């Protein structure tokens, strides 16, 4: 597609065509495309970020059909440069949906939305719910330190890149049932005041929920966890269910506090379990003598749980 020695200028003009808010920034964009390996990960210039954020808020106000039509055109552009990962990553950042640091009094209803680039909600304040049911996020979703005054729903959503909710505060429930995570799901230090449901989700990458606080029930069962799963240091105030979950890599519960029941029926562990320093204050269901009889649960689990309980 791009045979000119001035490829960076061609790419810059194409980005401006796709996002007119970048008009006047063609030279700055071309400079980024001159060094895509660095620009794909380095902080973008402040004026580029400001233009991107303003463009996002204006385009979102045009409604979902118009938004998704633009996303389709942007996907076409990213596919054209798809042979070069650094170019694609830079394109995803420049064409991101950037709500970062903004206050959305009514929340964000993005159910069914398509995001060709990153979805940025970092340090945003949402007075209402965040709804991503059935959405397609084709790059990274960065919602670190977001504050959400209602619930999060992302049932049957598809996330192609990492999903970062580290430090998030969610005043009600968080529901990700049947969602597909093609990369990592990061919930370190998150606080969720109502239920969290991951049931029937598929997580191809790691799940990291370290130092989090879940104040109500946590439905983490019937999921496929493709890589290492760490819940280290997390406090679960109420019932936690891993029933029917499959962990293809190691499950770490080191330093967790289980304040309510822990349900483990049908749990499958592919690479062992770690519970160093874990405290179990509620009932473990099924009882340990039944867990060892289950063909789906390795005997190592019995030994580790017994050791943890004997230390209580």
């Amino acid at each position: 597609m791009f045979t000119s020695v001035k490829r960076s200028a061609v790419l810059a003009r194409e980005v401006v065509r796709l996002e007119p808010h970048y008009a006047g920034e063609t030279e700055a964009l071309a400079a980024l495309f001159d060094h895509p390996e660095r620009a794909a990960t380095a902080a973008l210039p402040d004026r580029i970020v400001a233009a991107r954020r303003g463009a996002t808020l204006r385009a979102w106000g045009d409604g979902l059909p118009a938004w998704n039509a633009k996303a389709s055109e942007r996907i076409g552009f990213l596919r054209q440069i798809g042979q070069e990962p650094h170019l694609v990553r830079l394109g995803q950042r420049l064409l991101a949906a950037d709500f970062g640091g903004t206050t959305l009094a009514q929340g964000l209803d993005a159910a069914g939305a398509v995001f060709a680039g990153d979805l940025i909600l970092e340090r945003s304040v949402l007075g209402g719910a965040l709804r991503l049911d059935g959405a397609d996020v084709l790059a990274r979703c960065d919602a670190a330190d977001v504050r959400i005054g209602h619930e999060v729903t992302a049932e049957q959503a598809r996330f192609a890149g990492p999903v970062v909710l580290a430090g998030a505060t969610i005043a009600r429930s968080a529901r990700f049932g049947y969602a597909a995570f093609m990369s990592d799901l990061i919930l370190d230090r998150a606080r969720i005041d109502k239920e969290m449901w991951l049931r029937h989700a598929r997580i191809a990458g790691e799940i990291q929920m370290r130092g989090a606080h879940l104040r109500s029930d946590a439905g983490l069962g019937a999921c496929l966890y493709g890589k290492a799963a760490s819940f280290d240091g997390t406090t679960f105030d109420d019932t936690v269910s891993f029933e029917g979950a499959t962990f293809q890599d190691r499950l770490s519960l080191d330093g967790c506090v289980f304040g309510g029941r822990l349900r483990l029926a049908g749990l499958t562990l592919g690479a062992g379990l770690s519970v160093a320093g874990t405290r179990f204050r509620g009932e473990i269901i099924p009882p340990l003598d039944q867990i060892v009889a289950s063909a789906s649960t390795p005997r190592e689990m019995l030994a580790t749980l017994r050791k943890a309980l004997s230390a209580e």
Side-chain angles (χ1 to χ4, degrees):
M1 173 186 175
F2 304 107
T3 58
S4 169
V5 294
K6 299 294 185 181
R7 181 183 68 167
S8 59
V10 174
L11 291 170
R13 288 196 296 270
E14 183 65 7
V15 169
V16 172
R17 184 187 69 81
L18 292 168
E19 184 42 75
H21 263 68
Y22 284 135
E25 300 293 348
T26 304
E27 289 187 9
L29 292 170
L32 293 173
F33 280 114
D34 277 338
H35 305 283
E37 296 86 356
R38 183 174 64 213
T41 57
L44 295 175
D46 289 345
R47 63 182 184 273
I48 295 293
V49 173
R52 182 181 66 185
R53 191 163 296 158
T56 297
L57 296 174
R58 180 170 180 174
W60 191 252
D62 292 337
L64 186 61
W67 178 275
N68 284 351
K70 287 185 176 181
S72 179
E73 191 173 10
R74 294 177 178 198
I75 291 168
F77 166 70
L78 294 171
R79 285 177 176 169
Q80 286 181 312
I81 59 175
Q83 297 302 313
E84 300 187 46
H86 293 300
L87 283 179
V88 173
R89 184 69 197 113
L90 178 55
Q92 290 172 334
R93 297 182 71 200
L94 292 172
L95 299 174
D98 189 351
F99 300 94
T102 62
T103 297
L104 303 172
Q106 302 302 314
L108 182 66
D109 187 350
V114 178
F115 298 94
D118 293 353
L119 171 58
I120 302 172
L121 289 159
E122 184 180 14
R123 299 188 307 277
S124 296
V125 178
L126 278 64
L130 172 61
R131 303 195 185 282
L132 291 167
D133 303 287
D136 280 298
V137 183
L138 302 180
R140 182 183 180 92
C141 177
D142 188 352
D145 298 311
V146 68
R147 293 167 56 193
I148 300 173
H150 208 275
E151 64 182 355
V152 174
T153 62
E155 297 185 334
Q156 300 185 46
R158 291 163 291 276
F159 299 94
V163 176
V164 181
L165 283 157
T169 300
I170 302 170
R172 297 199 181 178
S173 61
R175 298 178 177 271
F176 301 94
Y178 294 93
F181 299 89
M182 305 311 295
S183 186
D184 299 338
L185 173 59
I186 301 172
L187 290 145
D188 294 341
R189 308 182 317 281
R191 170 173 166 160
I192 303 173
D193 287 348
K194 297 293 184 180
E195 300 85 1
M196 177 177 178
W197 299 105
L198 264 176
R199 293 185 64 82
H200 301 288
R202 300 292 180 265
I203 304 170
E206 296 185 2
I207 180 169
Q208 300 173 11
M209 189 191 294
R210 298 167 298 198
H213 188 182
L214 277 64
R215 301 186 65 193
S216 189
D217 293 347
L220 307 174
C223 297
L224 175 63
Y225 299 90
K227 293 187 179 179
S230 175
F231 298 87
D232 294 351
T234 288
T235 298
F236 299 93
D237 287 352
D238 212 326
T239 297
V240 179
S241 173
F242 286 112
E243 292 175 309
T246 297
F247 291 89
Q248 295 183 331
D249 206 322
R250 191 165 184 81
L251 169 61
S252 180
L253 302 173
D254 292 347
C256 287
V257 176
F258 292 94
R261 292 176 175 174
L262 177 60
R263 298 182 177 273
L264 301 168
L267 174 66
T268 300
L269 294 172
L273 169 71
S274 178
V275 288
T278 302
R279 287 176 285 173
F280 301 90
R281 293 175 174 166
E283 184 180 10
I284 299 175
I285 303 172
L288 295 180
D289 59 346
Q290 294 183 26
I291 291 175
V292 74
S294 170
S296 67
T297 305
R299 289 180 179 270
E300 178 189 356
M301 182 177 181
L302 178 67
T304 53
L305 285 175
R306 277 182 174 159
K307 182 178 179 181
L309 289 171
S310 66
E312 282 290 289

